[in-house]
Amino acid sequence: MAAAPEDPGIAPVLDRLVEGVLLLDAEQTVRFANTAAAALFDRPREAMLDISLIRATREAELARVAREADGVAHEITLDAGLVLRVTALAVPDGRTVITVLDRTAQRRAERARQDLVANISHELRTPITAARALAETLEDGVPDEGQRARFHRQLAGEIDRMQGIVERLIRLSRIEQGDEPFNLAPVVAGGLVREAIERVDPPAERAGVVLSGQTSMEAAAMLVLADRERILEVLTNLLDNAIKFSSPGDTVTVGAEPAEGVGRFWVRDEGPGIMPNERLRVFERFYTSDRARTAGQPTGTGLGLSIARQIVTRHGGDIWVADEPRGTTICFTVPVASTEDPPEPRA
């Protein structure tokens, strides 16, 4: 067994620390590694002992910090992507004590906050600029009454756009934090499909798009454990997107089917499709697919699919873009209701 700290009572204490702790001798050989250190470098603790630090961790930057042993906290990024706060301190007998703290989650959270602020600023800049220009024009005076009324309508539209962005962000945050209650109950899958079609029928008719429901008899009677309004929100959001990216005469299909203990829903369009490298990113906040530009459509806020993903996740399901040769198919799952689940409350 490799040498541990002289006091045998110290090793159990070090093993309970969140920080990784490594003890090196004068030759930079690892003589002790606590449990947290072994976990950080994803190696069995015994495999790290009695060998050089560079062999034990396979991280050259960590070895450099250990050689300097200046007692200053350094932030390094490992090849695996972990961000570590490392402090190496030389002690009088020639040994070196290294403490390692995983800062990966904190750094990701900071980047996410920075990205969110940048995205919000970007999304709000256009309507704010337009609203300011319209307000200044109205303030200077517009003699023509019809033109003045048009500017007022445009100003109100830009304000509504800003309000929509803020409200969707608040909604997304509430769902992510679990602050928005979900009332789960057995719901008939076929009924969800039919009601979603009814809700989007007017915009589909205006766009000249044909809506088609494809639900088997088995799926039509299938009970899923869901919050009716939340799942209808997901379906109508997907249908709205599909209609937006369709041309007059195209068909948008929505359906449901049983699949290994879950109910699987899908919405399929015949539009320009989503590139494979974008199929995960379309569910990120503010991400807008290139197919909006391909179809000549406004890019929108990029929040609808993020909200849909959060709703599906809160139900314990998954949502994804299917691999299709043409068009776009977005699928999501919801657990099937068991016989013990309480019935859906009547409206």
Side-chain angles (χ1 to χ4, degrees):
M1 173 67 68
E6 284 80 355
D7 186 345
I10 293 295
V13 174
L14 295 179
D15 273 336
R16 298 179 65 182
L17 294 179
V18 175
E19 287 183 307
V21 179
L22 297 163
L23 177 62
L24 313 182
D25 63 16
E27 284 73 39
Q28 298 284 290
T29 299
V30 179
R31 294 301 179 185
F32 174 79
N34 71 345
T35 302
L40 280 172
F41 296 104
D42 194 24
R43 298 202 64 192
R45 176 158 53 173
E46 293 74 15
M48 299 179 68
L49 304 178
D50 293 330
I51 57 177
S52 66
L53 180 63
I54 186 68
R55 288 180 58 200
T57 64
R58 305 186 183 99
E59 296 293 341
E61 187 66 11
L62 178 65
R64 181 191 64 77
V65 174
R67 287 193 301 270
E68 293 178 358
D70 54 10
V72 176
H74 299 261
E75 191 166 283
I76 66 172
T77 302
L78 305 187
D79 292 338
L82 292 179
V83 179
L84 304 181
R85 181 178 182 271
V86 180
T87 304
L89 180 65
V91 293
D93 61 2
R95 293 184 296 177
T96 303
V97 178
I98 301 174
T99 60
V100 185
L101 183 63
D102 187 355
R103 300 290 291 274
T104 308
Q106 181 180 352
R107 289 291 175 254
R108 285 176 180 167
E110 290 173 357
R111 283 196 296 271
R113 285 194 294 270
Q114 292 168 356
D115 291 344
L116 180 60
V117 171
N119 285 327
I120 292 173
S121 300
H122 175 75
E123 291 297 327
L124 291 177
R125 184 179 297 118
T126 299
I128 287 174
T129 302
R132 179 182 292 116
L134 288 165
E136 290 174 352
T137 301
L138 289 168
E139 186 178 6
D140 291 340
V142 180
D144 183 84
E145 184 176 347
Q147 193 176 34
R148 186 166 61 249
R150 181 167 60 85
F151 286 163
H152 275 294
R153 288 194 300 271
Q154 290 176 346
L155 178 58
E158 297 297 342
I159 293 172
D160 287 343
R161 181 179 170 187
M162 286 185 280
Q163 183 178 357
I165 293 172
V166 172
E167 287 178 350
R168 284 196 161 201
L169 276 171
I170 293 172
R171 177 89 194 290
L172 182 58
S173 177
R174 284 176 57 83
I175 296 174
E176 287 177 338
Q177 299 299 320
D179 295 335
E180 191 165 307
F182 278 45
N183 300 314
L184 302 182
V187 185
V188 179
L192 290 171
V193 172
R194 287 193 301 272
E195 188 166 345
I197 290 175
E198 290 172 3
R199 291 188 178 188
V200 300
D201 188 58
E205 188 174 347
R206 288 194 297 270
V209 173
V210 178
L211 295 178
S212 174
Q214 292 185 358
T215 306
S216 66
M217 291 182 63
E218 181 184 7
M222 175 177 59
L223 290 175
V224 294
L225 187 62
D227 183 307
R228 169 185 283 275
E229 285 304 316
R230 300 302 195 283
I231 295 302
L232 280 172
E233 180 180 353
V234 174
L235 283 170
T236 54
N237 178 278
L238 297 181
L239 284 167
D240 282 336
N241 280 346
I243 293 167
K244 181 171 68 173
F245 292 112
S246 297
S247 300
D250 283 355
T251 298
V252 169
T253 307
V254 56
E257 62 185 357
E260 299 181 358
V262 297
R264 181 164 59 212
F265 296 82
W266 74 87
V267 173
R268 181 180 300 119
D269 65 52
E270 299 174 343
I274 298 175
M275 296 295 291
N277 62 328
E278 293 187 301
R279 289 176 183 172
L280 290 178
R281 298 205 61 196
V282 292
F283 299 103
E284 296 176 6
R285 284 192 187 114
F286 295 109
Y287 187 81
T288 51
S289 171
D290 282 340
R291 78 169 182 156
R293 287 177 284 276
T294 302
Q297 293 289 337
T299 56
T301 63
L303 292 173
L305 288 180
S306 295
I307 294 174
R309 179 178 64 176
Q310 290 300 324
I311 291 173
V312 171
T313 300
R314 282 282 301 275
H315 279 79
D318 296 304
I319 186 169
W320 69 95
V321 180
D323 186 10
E324 297 283 357
R326 62 186 297 268
T328 297
T329 300
I330 297 183
C331 308
F332 68 91
T333 59
V334 179
V336 171
S338 73
T339 56
E340 299 176 358
D341 292 318
E344 179 185 6
R346 293 185 180 275

